[in-house]
Amino acid sequence: MPDLEHQLRNFLSRHGIHLQRDLGQHFLIHEEILQMIVSAANIAPDSTVVEIGPGVGILTKELTKRARKVIAIEIDKRFPPLLQEWTNHAPNVEIVQGNALKVPFPQEPYQIVANIPYHITSPLLRHAFLESPVGPTSMTLLIQREVAEKICDTKHRGLLTILVGLFGTAKIMTHVPSEAFLPPPAVDSSVLRIDCYPEPLANAEVLDRVFKLTKMAFTHKRKMLRKSFGALPTGMALLEQAGIASDRRPETLSVEEWLTLARSAEQ
């Protein structure tokens, strides 16, 4: 039996398909990693799974064996009919042709499992957490390794670290070399699992203040907080009220400390 790479090459050639790197079309051809993603997702038989950028359906086919329903959102108009063919017209697949950053996510509980184009990682997280009435119960994503490591870095936190930390806990399940894809991307990847909280750590008003404060602070992330917030009329008082030293830098603050700052700002 031909391996996954040969199957995919023959399939694409037969349909005259050339992959578009500018759309982040790097298809997984490593069977072991494919099974690892599905295993890491921990899909229940009655679950709904949202997949972003399924392409011809390599991951989709495996998801259909485990989930009650798979909603595959694909921006490239060439792929929906090919996805149906690759998955043998699986009856539990709903194909949505459109931009995953604009398509509404389900109103019912769902998981996100996807090999996503690297350039939409941040917008996708925001769409799922901030723009969707119902957030995912978990996200299992194959993303750029550097971004996954930044999300999980609790010593030098960035905006994505804080965003994810407000909605769940993240863990890198494994790293994936570039040769596991067709065509190989220029960087290595990681499988990142986010276990989402039933509710975010704060209400919408407090979250909004967190994002405003972090945006202000991380504009000059190497500067001390007294420099970032010094322009605010109550900036120094805010830090003092929250019990946060003014000589700290934004990357050193925990999610809980940003929440304390945001709650102090409302008083």
Side-chain angles (χ1 to χ4, degrees), residues 1 38 66 79 122-123 141 145-146 150 181 196 236 247:
M1 182 177 180
V38 176
R66 293 161 175 81
F79 287 136
S122 180
L141 305 173
R145 176 172 178 168
E146 182 182 2
K150 284 182 178 179
F181 299 87
C196 304
M236 296 303 292
D247 62 351

Side-chain angles (χ1 to χ4, degrees), residues 83-129:
L83 189 152
Q84 289 182 316
E85 181 179 338
W86 186 277
T87 60
N88 299 316
H89 298 268
N92 57 338
V93 177
E94 176 186 336
I95 302 173
V96 179
Q97 198 278 306
N99 186 336
L101 302 179
K102 298 179 180 178
V103 172
F105 287 162
Q107 296 293 318
E108 62 190 79
Y110 63 95
Q111 300 169 258
I112 295 178
V113 185
N115 169 23
I116 63 172
Y118 295 149
H119 64 279
I120 72 163
T121 302
S122 180
L124 174 64
L125 291 171
R126 290 185 171 275
H127 183 49
F129 291 143

